Amino acid sequence: MSNPILRPAFVAVAIVLALIAGACGGDSPGVAPAPDASSAPTENGSPEEVELTRADDPGCPTDGEELETALLYIEHNATDEDTGVHGLFGGEAWSELCIWDPDGTLIFVFDPRNELDDLTVADVFFESREPENAEVAVAELRTRFPEGEYLVGGTDFEGTPRVAAASFTHSIAAEPEIISPSLFEDPEEADAFEPVDGLRIAWEPVSETIDGEPVSISAYEIIVTKEEHEDPDANSRPVYDVHVGPDFSSLSVPPEFYEPDTIYELEVIAIEASGNQTIGLGFFRT
Protein backbone atom coordinates (compact mmCIF):
# COMPACT_ATOMS: atom_id res chain seq x y z
CA MET A 1 0.00 0.00 0.00
CA SER A 2 2.90 2.32 0.62
CA ASN A 3 4.12 4.41 -2.31
CA PRO A 4 7.64 5.07 -3.49
CA ILE A 5 10.39 5.96 -1.21
CA LEU A 6 8.63 7.56 -0.13
CA ARG A 7 5.24 8.78 -1.25
CA PRO A 8 6.67 11.79 -3.15
CA ALA A 9 4.39 14.79 -3.43
CA PHE A 10 4.36 15.16 -7.16
CA VAL A 11 2.09 14.31 -10.05
CA ALA A 12 2.80 10.78 -11.19
CA VAL A 13 1.22 8.21 -13.42
CA ALA A 14 0.52 4.90 -11.69
CA ILE A 15 0.76 2.01 -14.10
CA VAL A 16 -0.38 -1.25 -12.60
CA LEU A 17 1.52 -4.01 -14.39
CA ALA A 18 1.30 -7.71 -13.75
CA LEU A 19 5.06 -8.19 -13.76
CA ILE A 20 4.88 -11.02 -11.29
CA ALA A 21 2.19 -13.45 -12.29
CA GLY A 22 1.15 -13.08 -15.89
CA ALA A 23 -0.14 -10.27 -18.06
CA CYS A 24 -2.84 -7.84 -16.98
CA GLY A 25 -5.37 -9.34 -19.33
CA GLY A 26 -5.62 -6.36 -21.67
CA ASP A 27 -3.53 -3.74 -23.41
CA SER A 28 -2.97 -0.51 -21.52
CA PRO A 29 -2.45 2.63 -23.63
CA GLY A 30 1.20 3.54 -23.78
CA VAL A 31 2.43 0.38 -22.06
CA ALA A 32 4.03 -2.39 -24.07
CA PRO A 33 4.66 -5.51 -21.97
CA ALA A 34 6.71 -8.38 -23.24
CA PRO A 35 4.61 -10.69 -25.42
CA ASP A 36 3.19 -13.78 -23.80
CA ALA A 37 4.72 -17.05 -24.90
CA SER A 38 1.27 -18.44 -25.72
CA SER A 39 0.89 -15.87 -28.51
CA ALA A 40 3.89 -17.22 -30.40
CA PRO A 41 2.97 -20.66 -31.80
CA THR A 42 5.51 -22.68 -33.75
CA GLU A 43 4.79 -24.30 -37.10
CA ASN A 44 3.32 -27.35 -35.38
CA GLY A 45 1.02 -25.17 -33.30
CA SER A 46 2.79 -25.56 -29.96
CA PRO A 47 3.76 -22.41 -28.03
CA GLU A 48 7.32 -21.19 -28.18
CA GLU A 49 8.97 -19.16 -25.44
CA VAL A 50 9.45 -15.53 -26.42
CA GLU A 51 12.05 -13.29 -24.81
CA LEU A 52 12.82 -9.67 -25.55
CA THR A 53 16.45 -8.56 -25.35
CA ARG A 54 18.15 -5.20 -25.71
CA ALA A 55 18.39 -5.78 -29.44
CA ASP A 56 14.58 -6.06 -29.58
CA ASP A 57 13.69 -2.92 -27.65
CA PRO A 58 11.71 -0.11 -29.32
CA GLY A 59 14.67 2.26 -29.45
CA CYS A 60 15.24 3.26 -25.83
CA PRO A 61 18.83 4.46 -25.27
CA THR A 62 21.29 2.46 -23.21
CA ASP A 63 23.65 5.38 -22.62
CA GLY A 64 23.20 9.09 -22.09
CA GLU A 65 22.91 11.66 -19.32
CA GLU A 66 22.09 10.44 -15.83
CA LEU A 67 18.39 10.55 -14.98
CA GLU A 68 17.33 12.01 -11.65
CA THR A 69 15.40 9.14 -10.04
CA ALA A 70 15.54 5.41 -10.72
CA LEU A 71 14.18 3.15 -7.98
CA LEU A 72 13.12 -0.50 -8.10
CA TYR A 73 12.16 -2.17 -4.84
CA ILE A 74 10.11 -4.85 -3.09
CA GLU A 75 7.05 -4.13 -0.99
CA HIS A 76 6.20 -6.97 1.41
CA ASN A 77 3.00 -6.87 3.45
CA ALA A 78 3.84 -9.10 6.40
CA THR A 79 0.33 -8.85 7.89
CA ASP A 80 -1.59 -9.71 4.71
CA GLU A 81 1.24 -11.97 3.47
CA ASP A 82 1.55 -10.59 -0.05
CA THR A 83 4.51 -9.18 -1.96
CA GLY A 84 5.07 -7.10 -5.08
CA VAL A 85 7.60 -4.96 -6.94
CA HIS A 86 7.44 -1.17 -7.30
CA GLY A 87 9.30 1.19 -9.58
CA LEU A 88 9.76 4.96 -9.66
CA PHE A 89 11.47 6.80 -12.50
CA GLY A 90 11.21 10.54 -12.28
CA GLY A 91 12.60 13.96 -12.81
CA GLU A 92 11.95 14.18 -16.55
CA ALA A 93 9.11 14.45 -19.06
CA TRP A 94 9.39 11.06 -20.74
CA SER A 95 8.65 10.30 -24.37
CA GLU A 96 9.80 6.68 -23.83
CA LEU A 97 11.24 4.57 -21.03
CA CYS A 98 12.60 1.01 -20.88
CA ILE A 99 13.93 -1.30 -18.15
CA TRP A 100 16.25 -4.27 -18.64
CA ASP A 101 17.00 -6.86 -15.97
CA PRO A 102 20.60 -7.79 -14.97
CA ASP A 103 20.66 -10.41 -17.76
CA GLY A 104 19.81 -7.78 -20.39
CA THR A 105 16.19 -8.89 -20.88
CA LEU A 106 13.71 -6.11 -21.59
CA ILE A 107 10.95 -6.24 -18.93
CA PHE A 108 9.21 -2.87 -19.19
CA VAL A 109 8.38 -0.39 -21.96
CA PHE A 110 6.59 2.92 -21.44
CA ASP A 111 5.58 4.84 -24.56
CA PRO A 112 2.94 7.61 -24.28
CA ARG A 113 0.59 7.79 -27.25
CA ASN A 114 -2.20 9.91 -28.70
CA GLU A 115 -3.27 12.70 -26.30
CA LEU A 116 -0.23 12.09 -24.09
CA ASP A 117 2.20 12.14 -27.00
CA ASP A 118 2.78 15.90 -26.87
CA LEU A 119 2.20 16.28 -23.13
CA THR A 120 4.35 13.25 -22.23
CA VAL A 121 4.54 12.09 -18.61
CA ALA A 122 6.74 13.80 -16.03
CA ASP A 123 7.14 10.82 -13.72
CA VAL A 124 6.45 7.13 -14.01
CA PHE A 125 5.53 5.06 -10.94
CA PHE A 126 4.23 1.50 -11.11
CA GLU A 127 3.09 -1.15 -8.69
CA SER A 128 3.00 -4.73 -9.83
CA ARG A 129 0.14 -6.93 -8.79
CA GLU A 130 0.68 -8.09 -5.21
CA PRO A 131 -0.40 -11.74 -5.09
CA GLU A 132 -0.66 -13.57 -1.81
CA ASN A 133 2.51 -15.45 -0.88
CA ALA A 134 0.53 -18.68 -1.04
CA GLU A 135 0.14 -17.98 -4.77
CA VAL A 136 3.54 -16.44 -5.52
CA ALA A 137 6.06 -17.19 -2.79
CA VAL A 138 8.76 -14.68 -1.90
CA ALA A 139 11.32 -17.23 -3.14
CA GLU A 140 9.62 -17.33 -6.54
CA LEU A 141 9.51 -13.53 -6.76
CA ARG A 142 13.23 -13.44 -6.00
CA THR A 143 13.83 -15.91 -8.82
CA ARG A 144 11.79 -13.86 -11.27
CA PHE A 145 13.52 -10.64 -10.24
CA PRO A 146 17.22 -11.44 -9.65
CA GLU A 147 19.40 -9.17 -7.56
CA GLY A 148 21.62 -6.75 -9.42
CA GLU A 149 21.63 -3.61 -11.52
CA TYR A 150 18.56 -2.98 -13.68
CA LEU A 151 19.38 -0.67 -16.58
CA VAL A 152 16.86 2.13 -17.07
CA GLY A 153 17.00 4.03 -20.34
CA GLY A 154 14.71 6.63 -21.79
CA THR A 155 14.37 9.73 -23.91
CA ASP A 156 12.95 12.93 -22.48
CA PHE A 157 10.63 15.35 -24.26
CA GLU A 158 13.60 17.41 -25.46
CA GLY A 159 15.10 14.34 -27.14
CA THR A 160 17.89 13.89 -24.58
CA PRO A 161 18.79 10.26 -23.83
CA ARG A 162 18.91 9.53 -20.10
CA VAL A 163 19.97 6.37 -18.31
CA ALA A 164 20.55 5.03 -14.81
CA ALA A 165 21.18 1.78 -12.96
CA ALA A 166 18.51 0.84 -10.41
CA SER A 167 19.98 -1.45 -7.75
CA PHE A 168 17.64 -4.24 -6.70
CA THR A 169 18.24 -6.45 -3.66
CA HIS A 170 16.48 -9.36 -1.94
CA SER A 171 16.96 -7.98 1.58
CA ILE A 172 13.44 -7.76 3.06
CA ALA A 173 13.00 -6.51 6.62
CA ALA A 174 11.01 -8.52 9.14
CA GLU A 175 7.60 -7.21 10.20
CA PRO A 176 7.62 -4.14 12.45
CA GLU A 177 5.60 -5.37 15.42
CA ILE A 178 3.12 -2.71 16.56
CA ILE A 179 2.96 -2.45 20.37
CA SER A 180 0.35 0.27 20.69
CA PRO A 181 -2.40 1.06 20.18
CA SER A 182 -4.09 -2.33 20.48
CA LEU A 183 -5.14 -3.35 16.99
CA PHE A 184 -7.80 -5.60 15.50
CA GLU A 185 -7.53 -7.37 12.15
CA ASP A 186 -10.93 -6.49 10.71
CA PRO A 187 -12.81 -3.17 10.93
CA GLU A 188 -15.99 -5.13 11.72
CA GLU A 189 -14.41 -6.15 15.04
CA ALA A 190 -14.32 -2.54 16.27
CA ASP A 191 -17.10 -2.87 18.86
CA ALA A 192 -15.10 -5.49 20.75
CA PHE A 193 -12.22 -3.07 21.43
CA GLU A 194 -11.88 -0.12 23.78
CA PRO A 195 -11.49 3.28 22.11
CA VAL A 196 -8.02 4.80 22.00
CA ASP A 197 -7.66 7.79 24.31
CA GLY A 198 -4.77 9.82 22.93
CA LEU A 199 -2.90 8.30 20.03
CA ARG A 200 0.73 7.36 20.56
CA ILE A 201 2.01 4.72 18.14
CA ALA A 202 4.82 2.43 19.27
CA TRP A 203 6.55 -0.47 17.56
CA GLU A 204 9.44 -2.87 18.09
CA PRO A 205 12.58 -1.83 16.18
CA VAL A 206 13.36 -4.18 13.30
CA SER A 207 16.82 -5.76 13.50
CA GLU A 208 16.69 -8.60 10.99
CA THR A 209 15.33 -9.69 7.62
CA ILE A 210 12.56 -12.21 7.02
CA ASP A 211 15.42 -14.71 6.58
CA GLY A 212 16.88 -13.92 10.02
CA GLU A 213 19.86 -12.01 8.61
CA PRO A 214 21.04 -8.61 9.90
CA VAL A 215 19.23 -5.70 8.29
CA SER A 216 19.96 -2.00 7.86
CA ILE A 217 16.82 0.11 8.39
CA SER A 218 16.96 3.59 6.87
CA ALA A 219 13.54 4.83 8.04
CA TYR A 220 10.09 3.96 9.27
CA GLU A 221 6.91 5.23 7.67
CA ILE A 222 3.76 5.58 9.76
CA ILE A 223 0.42 5.91 7.98
CA VAL A 224 -2.93 6.46 9.71
CA THR A 225 -5.91 6.34 7.35
CA LYS A 226 -9.60 6.95 8.08
CA GLU A 227 -11.28 3.67 7.17
CA GLU A 228 -14.69 4.95 6.05
CA HIS A 229 -14.94 8.22 4.17
CA GLU A 230 -17.56 9.65 1.84
CA ASP A 231 -15.49 10.84 -1.08
CA PRO A 232 -17.04 11.16 -4.55
CA ASP A 233 -13.69 12.22 -6.01
CA ALA A 234 -11.68 9.50 -4.20
CA ASN A 235 -9.03 12.04 -3.37
CA SER A 236 -9.81 13.56 0.02
CA ARG A 237 -9.62 10.65 2.47
CA PRO A 238 -7.89 11.85 5.67
CA VAL A 239 -4.39 10.35 5.88
CA TYR A 240 -1.61 11.09 8.36
CA ASP A 241 1.67 10.00 6.75
CA VAL A 242 5.05 10.56 8.43
CA HIS A 243 8.60 9.31 7.90
CA VAL A 244 10.94 9.08 10.87
CA GLY A 245 14.56 8.01 11.25
CA PRO A 246 15.71 4.45 12.02
CA ASP A 247 16.22 5.24 15.73
CA PHE A 248 12.54 6.05 16.28
CA SER A 249 10.22 3.46 17.82
CA SER A 250 7.22 5.65 18.69
CA LEU A 251 5.27 8.61 17.35
CA SER A 252 2.42 10.75 18.70
CA VAL A 253 -0.39 11.68 16.33
CA PRO A 254 -1.82 15.20 16.82
CA PRO A 255 -5.35 15.08 18.26
CA GLU A 256 -6.42 17.58 15.58
CA PHE A 257 -6.10 14.80 13.00
CA TYR A 258 -8.44 12.13 14.30
CA GLU A 259 -12.16 12.16 15.06
CA PRO A 260 -13.98 10.53 17.99
CA ASP A 261 -15.66 7.16 17.55
CA THR A 262 -13.98 6.53 14.21
CA ILE A 263 -12.12 3.52 12.82
CA TYR A 264 -8.63 4.02 11.39
CA GLU A 265 -6.14 1.77 9.66
CA LEU A 266 -2.58 1.94 11.00
CA GLU A 267 0.46 0.92 8.98
CA VAL A 268 4.03 0.88 10.26
CA ILE A 269 6.50 0.31 7.44
CA ALA A 270 10.13 -0.68 7.89
CA ILE A 271 12.23 0.64 5.02
CA GLU A 272 15.42 -1.29 4.34
CA ALA A 273 18.51 0.59 3.13
CA SER A 274 17.98 -0.49 -0.49
CA GLY A 275 14.40 0.81 -0.42
CA ASN A 276 12.61 -2.51 0.13
CA GLN A 277 9.61 -2.04 2.40
CA THR A 278 7.84 -4.28 4.92
CA ILE A 279 4.37 -3.42 6.23
CA GLY A 280 2.74 -4.29 9.54
CA LEU A 281 -0.86 -3.11 9.91
CA GLY A 282 -4.12 -3.28 11.82
CA PHE A 283 -7.16 -1.22 12.80
CA PHE A 284 -8.13 0.78 15.89
CA ARG A 285 -11.06 2.87 17.08
CA THR A 286 -10.85 6.30 18.66
Side-chain angles (χ1 to χ4, degrees), residues 64-278:
E65 297 184 17
E66 184 175 0
L67 64 91
E68 183 176 321
T69 303
L71 304 173
L72 192 66
Y73 58 96
I74 294 170
E75 181 174 276
H76 173 62
N77 189 322
T79 303
D80 292 343
E81 297 184 339
D82 60 50
T83 311
V85 174
H86 293 191
L88 171 63
F89 312 98
E92 310 297 336
W94 297 109
S95 61
E96 62 179 357
L97 186 71
C98 297
I99 307 171
W100 297 268
D101 72 11
D103 295 326
T105 301
L106 182 67
I107 64 170
F108 179 98
V109 177
F110 178 76
D111 182 11
R113 301 288 179 88
N114 301 321
E115 288 82 0
L116 282 176
D117 190 25
D118 291 337
L119 292 176
T120 74
V121 174
D123 298 283
V124 174
F125 165 65
F126 74 77
E127 297 186 21
S128 74
R129 187 170 72 88
E130 296 176 348
E132 295 183 0
N133 296 148
E135 177 188 347
V136 179
V138 172
E140 183 178 348
L141 182 141
R142 286 168 165 168
T143 299
R144 295 186 182 189
F145 290 84
E147 287 188 306
E149 300 291 314
Y150 285 68
L151 177 62
V152 181
T155 304
D156 67 19
F157 183 61
E158 301 296 331
T160 304
R162 298 185 182 276
V163 299
S167 296
F168 185 79
T169 79
H170 289 168
S171 180
I172 303 173
E175 179 178 5
E177 181 182 349
I178 300 172
I179 302 171
S180 66
S182 296
L183 301 178
F184 44 92
E185 295 182 359
D186 191 316
E188 295 182 359
E189 301 174 354
D191 292 341
F193 287 79
E194 291 295 324
V196 172
D197 183 15
L199 183 52
R200 184 168 182 82
I201 300 164
W203 60 93
E204 291 286 355
V206 177
S207 60
E208 62 183 25
T209 68
I210 59 174
D211 305 303
E213 300 294 329
V215 69
S216 176
I217 299 298
S218 62
Y220 293 97
E221 182 177 10
I222 295 83
I223 306 172
V224 182
T225 306
K226 186 178 180 181
E227 177 63 14
E228 295 184 3
H229 180 61
E230 295 288 338
D231 183 5
D233 299 318
N235 206 25
S236 65
R237 183 183 297 273
V239 177
Y240 185 78
D241 188 348
V242 177
H243 290 84
V244 296
D247 296 330
F248 279 71
S249 59
S250 64
L251 179 74
S252 294
V253 178
E256 291 84 359
F257 169 74
Y258 50 90
E259 306 169 27
D261 195 23
T262 302
I263 299 173
Y264 290 88
E265 181 189 58
L266 169 63
E267 297 176 84
V268 175
I269 304 170
I271 302 169
E272 193 266 340
S274 70
N276 295 338
Q277 303 180 2
T278 301

